Amino acid sequence: RGRYARHAPFSAPYWQGYVVREDILLSLEYHDLTNAQAEALLKSPGPLADIFKEFEQRETDYMDTVFDTVVCRANAVINVARLLGYEEKEKEKEKENRETPEKEKETANRTDPLL
């Protein structure tokens, strides 16, 4: 590890904190604070950091929601793969059905009695 490993910008704690801070800001795009609430937060030199510290102390289902999203996506991919696999098998059956009469014709046209 290098001397900067402790402060690497993409280390897990930094990365996770960055994502949560983005989520805090995003929540403000979808919800409004009262003027009094906004003014109270702006009295702090670091309102985003303050909110993040409070968020870290709370018990939330944030990680459960993240994991649930991972599971749902994985299941969706599996279901699509199954569907595509089923469709591929159906196409193979159709191809075999088309080839079977041609093979029968070839066999019927042969004059060698041992075939």
Side-chain angles (χ1 to χ4, degrees), residues 27-72:
S27 75
L28 294 170
E29 288 185 25
Y30 292 101
H31 305 284
D32 293 325
L33 295 174
T34 65
N35 286 340
Q37 290 170 326
E39 288 173 11
L41 290 173
L42 291 174
K43 288 180 183 177
S44 168
L48 186 57
D50 294 343
I51 295 167
F52 177 70
K53 285 179 189 175
E54 185 167 327
F55 179 81
E56 282 188 311
Q57 302 303 316
R58 291 182 178 214
E59 291 292 324
T60 67
D61 62 348
Y62 184 78
M63 292 307 292
D64 292 334
T65 302
V66 170
F67 183 69
D68 183 56
T69 303
V70 171
V71 170
C72 287

Side-chain angles (χ1 to χ4, degrees), residues 73-88:
R73 178 63 187 152
N75 289 339
V77 171
I78 289 168
N79 289 335
V80 168
R82 282 185 189 149
L83 179 63
L84 292 176
Y86 175 78
E87 290 175 355
E88 192 64 33

Side-chain angles (χ1 to χ4, degrees), residues 103-115:
K103 288 181 182 179
E104 290 174 0
K105 287 179 186 176
E106 289 175 13
T107 304
N109 292 335
R110 292 187 185 158
T111 56
D112 188 347
L114 300 174
L115 293 177

